[in-house]
Amino acid sequence: MTEILIVEDDNDKAKQLENFAREFIPSPDVSIARSLQTGLRLALSKNWDLMLLDMTMTTFDRTLSDDGGRPHPFAGREILRRMKREGIAIPVVIVTQFDRFGEEAEELTLKQLEIELKESFIEFRGIVRYRANVDEWKSQLENAITDIVEKFAGGE
Amino acid sequence: MDLQSTKAVEEERVAILLKLGEMLEYMKEPEDEVIKEELRDIRTRQVVRETARKLDESKIYVNIEAIRRSVDVTLKETWNRYHLASQDPEEKRAERFEQVVRSSLGDQIRFVNLNAPSTRRSALFQRMVRELGEQFTTNKEFGLNANLSTNIRHGYVLRELRSPLVSLRLVTNKDSDSGSYLENPHWNRVLASLSPPQKIDVQKALADFSEKIDSHIDDLNRRKLRVKSEKSVEGLFIYNLSDASIDQLYRRFSKIDDYDEFASKVFSVFWSATETGLDRVRKHLLNVVLTDLHLAVDELENDLLSIGQYYQLNAITSLLPNAKIDLRHAIERVSSWFALSRDHEYQDYDLQTAFDVGLRTVESYYSDIEIDASFSSNEVHQMKGSTLPFFARLFDLLLDNAGKHGAERNSKLSVSAETTWDEEMLMLTVSNTLKEKHDMVKLEAKIDQINSDYGKEAAKDLVGEEGGSGYPKIWKILRRDLVLQHDLRVFLMDDRFHVEILVARGAKI
């Protein structure tokens, strides 16, 4: 089984990513986390084969009685930092709907963020820009994980 | 990582503050006001949030007790005749004949007596079931439709679904005079690199978007969240009171010889139909309405991207993914209202709690208005917990009116509530500032009309309708739900709009 973790607080986007995983990745076993905290907990819980990670998320899962707290603009980066501290290396692709993150002094463009993450995290594969009504992201995501797909298609 | 929700974070904070308080006490230091105030704020937020959640879970109800009080006298008379008819030999013969035929041919056949109805007894049964059904669904004060109107349709659905888009500044309101949507000046400022014709196109795209959103919400309110009838053919609450379905009930219940048991059984059938209706509504919200709203957002994105370069419009297009997420959460929240009301117990409370609950709702709906709110009282008075949902809804209506009529978009609103208690009466006054540009003549005429119509028969007809000021609903809450003698008047004073409610205290408050 290819163990895939999707960390995404948008239900519709999470569903699209899950469908992508089931279509393009051999024998996928997909888990979905819906906030920074849940994503972090699951990321540290086992050796995943691939993580599809949102960047901007709420800290906690959103429910009817909990709004999840203020959205954290760099939630995905926090998860990567913590994984690095714990010595966990999982192939990660950031899948985001935004091209700017943070505000004022902290603001980064998508390109700047990608450069920073590539320098900091060995297993970081890149950022894919997601748009719900355009399928271009699928081919970008496929390209980012070609080696993983081949590895598991070969039954390694 | 151990903290798994915002509630857990709050509880942790409370534990830390309490510990700090204990340490200060141990060190014989004076109590810290900052700690006390933060503890008070957190506890108030928790109570308000919990109360709002319970209120969301109790929006759907039918006041069966009140309905029974209003119809039992006449229905019992019909019941007595129905009961006597079971002794009639002709009736017994007709029923025996039907039983024999059914035992041979099954339940699929239907008896039609050309001297309709088939038996006097079944006719009386039909009449009682229809009457109870009418009362359950359309009793103007206690029925399902009246409560749907007061608790859901009157502004709540509209504001809940619009509020994510209001806070992102993607929608505006219609100008009541011209009927077209107001301009969104924020985007003219932010999208500075666009040319004047492009800015006009952006405003048009946003106006079209506002119209689509409002049209979907309007369809939901006016057509779908209704009891199905000749007038509301698309209503999702369907109660089958056809002759055939009542015939079936007659066969099930004909042996019942106690009126209370009969009424209870018939109402349970209606509750069951209500549950089916609620399920239908939830599915419609999640499968149809959400899809329509998301499609409108996609169409807005396409319209905007056809106007200028991506980088010129990024400030607005980058908000659209959040708009879709927030719309989903809004739909999920509205969907959660459509469940049978749970019997919540509310602790005794003071009126400021009800005010804070109402204020919380209104602040979320009018996120583009800066609201300065205050509450004062001559004494702290503990109210019976069972009255909390009603007073919270009362403040909802009063504060919503203030938000709607008291300030322009992106401006300030000052609203205050004051309660004065004495041995026999409670005086509740809510006042708010007025819009800068208001038509004084129209406003004074409106005030006269509200004062003149309040509590009158014609106004009671409006309890089940939306779009008005909400005063018929205020009357319903105080007079029918809380059964309180009261008087209400509205007036202008010191450039503020005042609503003054005088309530006779009794066992309830």
Side-chain angles (χ1 to χ4, degrees):
Chain A
M1 298 294 270
T2 319
E3 302 269 8
I4 299 167
L5 175 61
I6 297 172
V7 185
E8 175 56 61
D9 65 346
D10 178 346
N11 282 355
D12 298 312
K13 186 176 153 205
K15 191 76 200 154
Q16 289 294 320
L17 291 175
E18 185 181 3
N19 291 344
F20 168 87
R22 295 196 189 287
E23 195 181 341
F24 290 105
I25 299 174
S27 311
D29 183 8
V30 180
S31 301
I32 300 178
R34 299 198 187 275
S35 66
L36 187 163
Q37 287 285 57
T38 312
L40 187 54
R41 200 164 46 250
L42 285 182
L44 299 180
S45 68
K46 64 178 174 182
N47 287 329
W48 301 90
D49 297 307
L50 172 65
M51 187 192 307
L52 302 179
L53 179 59
D54 192 14
M55 181 51 60
T56 302
M57 282 181 282
T58 52
T59 305
F60 304 108
D61 287 6
R62 267 176 102 157
T63 65
L64 287 172
S65 56
D66 191 335
D67 67 0
R70 243 173 2 115
H72 191 316
F74 295 104
R77 188 174 65 181
E78 280 309 303
I79 291 176
L80 291 174
R81 281 179 179 166
R82 184 67 187 271
M83 282 163 54
K84 186 176 175 181
R85 270 210 301 279
E86 302 292 330
I88 292 183
I90 302 171
V92 174
V93 181
I94 302 280
V95 185
T96 179
Q97 300 184 78
F98 300 106
D99 62 359
R100 274 178 195 281
F101 308 89
E103 284 169 14
E104 293 172 3
E106 275 197 339
E107 192 184 15
L108 292 176
T109 64
L110 193 123
K111 199 69 200 159
Q112 288 168 328
L113 181 64
E114 192 169 32
I115 293 169
E116 180 194 303
L117 294 177
K118 274 201 168 117
E119 285 170 1
S120 305
F121 306 106
I122 296 172
E123 286 288 352
F124 173 69
R125 297 303 182 88
I127 300 183
V128 167
R129 184 84 195 284
Y130 172 92
R131 281 181 65 198
N133 48 358
V134 173
D135 275 354
E136 203 182 316
W137 62 272
K138 289 183 185 174
S139 52
Q140 289 176 5
L141 189 47
E142 249 191 289
N143 289 341
I145 60 170
T146 309
D147 61 325
I148 295 173
V149 172
E150 284 171 0
K151 175 181 164 187
F152 285 96
E156 272 185 57
Chain B
M1 240 188 359
D2 289 336
L3 299 175
Q4 306 204 8
S5 65
T6 50
K7 188 175 172 194
V9 170
E10 265 179 359
E11 289 299 332
E12 183 76 359
R13 183 87 186 156
V14 166
I16 291 168
L17 290 167
L18 289 173
K19 222 26 164 205
L20 285 172
E22 282 171 25
M23 282 166 58
L24 286 172
E25 199 185 332
Y26 178 77
M27 285 158 43
K28 298 201 188 339
E29 295 284 337
E31 272 186 24
D32 191 304
E33 276 306 316
V34 172
I35 291 177
K36 275 170 61 175
E37 190 162 329
E38 189 175 345
L39 273 169
R40 209 169 22 240
D41 281 348
I42 294 175
R43 286 297 182 217
T44 302
R45 264 205 312 275
Q46 288 177 330
V47 166
V48 166
R49 203 167 45 227
E50 184 61 15
T51 305
R53 184 187 63 77
K54 285 180 181 176
L55 288 178
D56 279 355
E57 291 176 359
S58 57
K59 282 181 180 281
I60 301 286
Y61 77 98
V62 175
N63 194 335
I64 298 290
E65 270 178 39
I67 286 175
R68 294 254 344 233
R69 275 199 303 275
S70 69
V71 304
D72 270 2
V73 171
T74 42
L75 270 188
K76 271 185 177 163
E77 203 187 293
T78 312
W79 169 264
N80 289 338
R81 283 188 282 137
Y82 166 79
H83 198 53
L84 273 173
S86 66
Q87 310 306 318
D88 184 285
E90 275 295 325
E91 293 281 347
K92 282 186 176 176
R93 217 175 356 254
E95 285 191 11
R96 181 75 189 124
F97 177 72
E98 188 176 325
Q99 272 171 17
V100 166
V101 173
R102 283 194 191 282
S103 67
S104 301
L105 298 177
D107 274 346
Q108 301 310 308
I109 57 163
R110 192 174 157 228
F111 278 79
V112 177
N113 188 324
L114 292 177
N115 298 320
S118 58
T119 68
R120 190 163 45 103
R121 196 162 178 259
S122 67
L124 291 168
F125 181 91
Q126 266 202 22
R127 194 189 307 172
M128 288 189 292
V129 169
R130 286 218 159 90
E131 177 63 19
L132 288 173
E134 285 274 325
Q135 294 295 325
F136 185 94
T137 54
T138 54
N139 180 294
K140 277 182 207 167
E141 293 152 53
F142 308 120
L144 177 69
N145 187 57
N147 286 311
L148 278 175
S149 179
T150 306
N151 299 338
I152 292 184
R153 293 197 306 252
H154 183 82
Y156 291 102
V157 168
L158 174 74
R159 302 206 207 299
E160 191 70 37
L161 296 183
R162 259 183 151 253
S163 77
L165 304 174
V166 168
S167 63
L168 293 172
R169 299 180 203 255
L170 295 174
V171 291
T172 57
N173 291 337
K174 256 191 196 172
D175 176 44
S176 47
D177 292 328
S178 66
S180 46
Y181 281 87
L182 295 168
E183 228 185 47
N184 209 322
H186 169 79
W187 295 114
N188 284 342
R189 286 191 300 274
V190 168
L191 304 174
S193 67
L194 293 180
S195 66
Q198 284 177 317
K199 285 182 183 177
I200 291 173
D201 286 342
V202 167
Q203 292 297 336
K204 183 170 183 314
L206 289 170
D208 286 347
F209 176 68
S210 297
E211 183 159 20
K212 281 177 200 165
I213 296 295
D214 286 346
S215 162
H216 291 313
I217 297 172
D218 199 58
D219 179 70
L220 185 62
N221 260 340
R222 290 192 189 280
R223 291 189 198 88
K224 303 294 194 297
L225 300 182
R226 302 264 162 177
V227 176
K228 186 171 180 171
S229 66
E230 274 178 23
K231 205 171 122 188
S232 302
V233 294
E234 292 176 61
L236 293 175
F237 290 93
I238 301 173
Y239 297 86
N240 188 353
L241 292 177
S242 64
D243 289 351
S245 63
I246 297 181
D247 268 351
Q248 281 199 347
L249 290 182
Y250 180 63
R251 289 198 295 282
R252 275 170 65 189
F253 298 156
S254 61
K255 298 261 184 293
I256 296 173
D257 59 9
D258 173 68
Y259 172 73
D260 287 333
E261 189 187 345
F262 161 76
S264 169
K265 292 268 190 219
V266 170
F267 279 129
S268 72
V269 170
F270 296 139
W271 279 122
S272 176
T274 305
E275 287 219 50
T276 307
L278 292 169
D279 188 56
R280 211 176 276 126
V281 168
R282 289 192 296 268
K283 286 185 169 118
H284 180 77
L285 283 165
L286 288 162
N287 297 337
V288 177
V289 180
L290 180 59
T291 305
D292 287 342
L293 295 177
H294 276 181
L295 189 58
V297 174
D298 289 340
E299 287 169 353
L300 173 64
E301 188 183 21
N302 291 338
D303 288 346
L304 290 170
L305 291 176
S306 72
I307 292 169
Q309 297 295 318
Y310 178 78
Y311 73 91
Q312 292 174 298
L313 292 147
N314 187 51
I316 187 172
T317 55
S318 63
L319 297 178
L320 300 184
N322 274 344
K324 290 172 85 170
I325 295 173
D326 291 345
L327 278 171
R328 173 176 272 280
H329 286 289
I331 285 278
E332 284 172 355
R333 180 144 182 242
V334 170
S335 181
S336 77
W337 298 346
F338 292 92
L340 282 184
S341 185
R342 294 215 250 152
D343 265 333
H344 281 301
E345 283 206 12
Y346 298 89
Q347 287 186 335
D348 290 355
Y349 67 103
D350 72 75
L351 271 180
Q352 176 151 15
T353 301
F355 173 80
D356 287 339
V357 173
L359 182 64
R360 180 181 186 260
T361 307
V362 169
E363 279 173 338
S364 72
Y365 289 169
Y366 295 94
S367 53
D368 55 346
I369 295 176
E370 196 183 315
I371 300 178
D372 173 27
S374 65
F375 181 92
S376 62
S377 182
N378 68 326
E379 66 181 59
V380 175
H381 181 85
Q382 287 294 338
M383 309 274 289
K384 288 203 171 61
S386 57
T387 64
L388 175 52
F390 303 106
F391 276 102
R393 287 194 184 115
L394 173 67
F395 278 116
D396 250 351
L397 287 165
L398 291 168
L399 296 172
D400 182 64
N401 262 348
K404 200 161 47 177
H405 302 295
E408 307 287 354
R409 300 281 77 87
N410 305 308
S411 66
K412 288 182 183 172
L413 169 73
S414 159
V415 61
S416 66
E418 187 184 336
T419 61
T420 309
W421 297 87
D422 68 27
E423 274 180 22
E424 288 174 7
M425 309 296 278
L426 158 67
M427 170 82 83
L428 165 63
T429 309
V430 175
S431 74
N432 59 268
T433 44
L434 299 168
K435 282 183 183 177
E436 260 187 47
K437 297 176 206 154
H438 60 269
D439 184 328
M440 189 55 91
V441 171
K442 264 190 187 168
L443 182 55
E444 283 173 349
K446 184 75 192 163
I447 285 172
D448 288 341
Q449 190 182 14
I450 292 169
N451 286 331
S452 147
D453 289 349
Y454 188 77
K456 303 268 177 16
E457 277 307 315
K460 290 172 196 174
D461 287 341
L462 297 175
V463 168
E465 299 300 324
E466 300 80 48
S469 59
Y471 289 98
K473 297 184 198 320
I474 290 174
W475 175 86
K476 175 193 177 294
I477 289 171
L478 288 168
R479 189 73 192 95
R480 290 295 182 230
D481 295 331
L482 287 167
V483 197
L484 289 171
Q485 296 283 355
H486 72 283
D487 202 8
L488 179 147
R489 71 176 184 120
V490 301
F491 56 95
L492 292 173
M493 189 169 77
D494 299 334
D495 279 336
R496 291 176 75 96
F497 180 84
H498 294 254
V499 180
E500 193 177 80
I501 304 175
L502 189 61
V503 182
R505 292 176 66 172
K508 282 247 168 158
I509 61 168

